[in-house]
Amino acid sequence: MRVGPGRTGHDDPATGSLSVASAPRRAWSAVAVFAAIRTLGLLVLALWSRLAGSDAHDLLSARWDSIWYVRVAESGYDFTLTAPDGRVLSDMAFFPLLPWLERAVTAVSPLGLGDAGLLISGLAGLLAAWGMYLMGHHLYGHRAGLLLVALWAAMPVGIVQSMAYSEALFAALAAWALYAVLRRRWVAAGLLASLAGLTRPVGLAVAAALWAGAVVEARRTRRPDARMLTGMVLAPLGAAGYVLWVGVRRGGPFAYLDVQGEWGNGFDGGLAYGKFVLDHLGGWPVVLAGIALIAGTVLALGAYAACVRGRQPLPLLVYTGIVMALALCSSGYFGSKPRLLLPAFPLLLPVALALSRVRRARAAAVVAVLAVGSAVYGASWLNGSGPP
């Protein structure tokens, strides 16, 4: 498996000759497409919420995770909540980069912490779109990069990208880190991976992707250089540092796993998820949810198989595989599974590449249908069960 693609930017299958140097200049189109799709989602949410008698702003900035992040930003760590079933839930389950940034924004602006979270997610989403475009362009050309961004923005649970959650921030750091790995910019990739590790536990997937790329490159050149080794050392420091800090605070090296266990989260190889699916196949109308879960899982696994068959660079396969494994093979609240898969954006590359080879009008129509569907689903989801 290679670190980067075989193409050089002069053999774009969709657009003909196109220099890699033009990618930064053309990234604005991907950012604009992302902004347009997410704006549509927000407009539909605002209208739906008004008709439902709810507050769209509160749905975006004052839901479960966002409230926990605000508490950390306000008072630091040490808050616990006793759940109705007796579990003691600790705020140490939430990684610190987003609350740190929220606190920094409120220090230099009149925004409250919740609105700071919305601003950070909004800006991070634009940065994620930029990084994903560059990655897609680097691999398959302009149209594939543009469509990768559009597909990610139009995911059914894409509204989470606009919430005061950490998904958009993590996706931005991961996209730029993976792009840096593909371009063999090891120190930059290591720093970004470390920041991703301070954002979500799955940040270790970014570090693993860097290590995989470095191993492939070292085997190719037969001599790892100092920058590569520096990036490999930097990559896991964010996640490892936070986990060790929790261990010191809680008095045990595996204390972070205990914190996650208290929340009901753990890695069981997918047994709990399988039982959850089976439980939704026993009668009407829950059988529809069970079928949808099976279909979604099969689609995700099929997309990953397509990534492997398409010979994606090893760092992307490693990153996506770990994100999928942690999302699908962990116990916990199963309503979170779709949003836990949001960072697995390389899964969309085979679809983006296929759409880049059809007529522009047909590709645009597909994206438009997905964008409208995402906007309607996101509005109904947030006004219903929504993400926890």
Side-chain angles (χ1 to χ4, degrees), residues 73-98:
E74 283 178 337
S75 308
Y77 287 96
D78 271 341
F79 177 83
T80 59
L81 176 68
T82 302
D85 59 6
R87 291 176 297 141
V88 179
L89 310 180
S90 169
D91 57 7
M92 290 183 182
F94 297 87
F95 276 49
L97 185 58
L98 178 57

Side-chain angles (χ1 to χ4, degrees), residues 132-141 143-149 151-152 178 182 303 306-307 312-313 316-317 320 344-357:
M132 287 180 203
Y133 169 79
L134 292 177
M135 188 184 74
H137 176 280
H138 180 73
L139 291 169
Y140 304 120
R143 285 189 66 190
L146 184 65
L147 287 162
L148 171 63
V149 171
L151 291 171
W152 188 70
L178 292 172
L182 295 179
C307 294
Q312 276 189 16
L316 299 192
L317 293 177
T320 307
F345 48 83
L347 288 176
L348 300 171
L349 275 169
V351 183
L353 181 59
L355 281 176
S356 73
R357 292 168 173 164

Side-chain angles (χ1 to χ4, degrees), residues 111-384:
L111 294 177
L113 290 168
D115 287 334
L118 292 179
L119 175 63
I120 292 164
S121 286
L123 295 176
L126 299 176
L127 290 172
W130 186 6
M132 287 180 203
Y133 169 79
L134 292 177
M135 188 184 74
H137 176 280
H138 180 73
L139 291 169
Y140 304 120
H142 168 70
R143 285 189 66 190
L146 184 65
L147 287 162
L148 171 63
V149 171
L151 291 171
W152 188 70
M155 291 291 287
V157 293
I159 191 66
V160 176
Q161 301 158 12
S162 302
M163 298 178 68
Y165 275 38
S166 61
E167 272 75 8
L169 177 60
F170 177 81
L173 293 167
W176 280 94
L178 292 172
Y179 178 64
V181 170
L182 295 179
R183 297 300 300 273
R184 301 180 183 90
R185 296 172 179 169
W186 304 111
V187 175
L191 289 170
L192 290 164
S194 188
L195 290 173
L198 283 170
T199 307
R200 298 184 65 83
V202 75
L204 285 175
V206 187
L210 186 153
W211 294 337
V215 168
V216 171
E217 181 67 8
R219 290 183 63 184
R220 186 184 71 84
T221 62
R222 301 195 176 187
R223 57 179 187 88
D225 60 28
R227 289 173 298 176
M228 180 189 296
L229 295 174
T230 300
M232 293 178 73
V233 171
L234 288 172
L237 291 184
Y242 179 69
V243 169
L244 289 173
W245 178 82
V246 172
V248 171
R249 290 288 297 270
R250 295 282 295 254
F254 303 108
Y256 182 75
L257 297 179
D258 295 335
V259 169
Q260 287 290 349
E262 292 162 359
W263 279 81
N265 297 324
F267 191 87
D268 63 0
L271 293 176
Y273 181 51
K275 183 179 182 301
F276 181 78
V277 173
L278 290 175
D279 289 343
H280 283 71
L281 295 176
W284 187 268
V286 294
V287 67
L288 297 177
I291 293 172
L293 289 169
I294 293 173
T297 303
V298 170
L299 281 174
L301 294 175
Y304 188 71
C307 294
V308 174
R309 289 194 304 270
R311 296 179 59 80
Q312 276 189 16
L314 183 61
L316 299 192
L317 293 177
V318 168
Y319 167 80
T320 307
I322 293 175
V323 173
M324 289 182 62
L326 291 177
L328 298 177
C329 298
S330 61
S331 57
Y333 181 73
F334 299 103
S336 296
K337 297 292 183 185
R339 74 179 180 93
L340 293 179
L341 285 170
L342 268 180
F345 48 83
L347 288 176
L348 300 171
L349 275 169
V351 183
L353 181 59
L355 281 176
S356 73
R357 292 168 173 164
V358 305
R359 296 179 61 181
R360 291 176 186 270
R362 184 172 299 176
V366 171
V367 170
V369 169
L370 293 175
V372 171
S374 173
V376 172
Y377 179 81
S380 63
W381 187 46
L382 277 196
N383 278 279

Side-chain angles (χ1 to χ4, degrees), residues 32-44:
V33 166
F34 175 84
I37 293 174
R38 293 293 357 115
T39 299
L40 173 63
L42 293 174
L43 290 174
V44 173

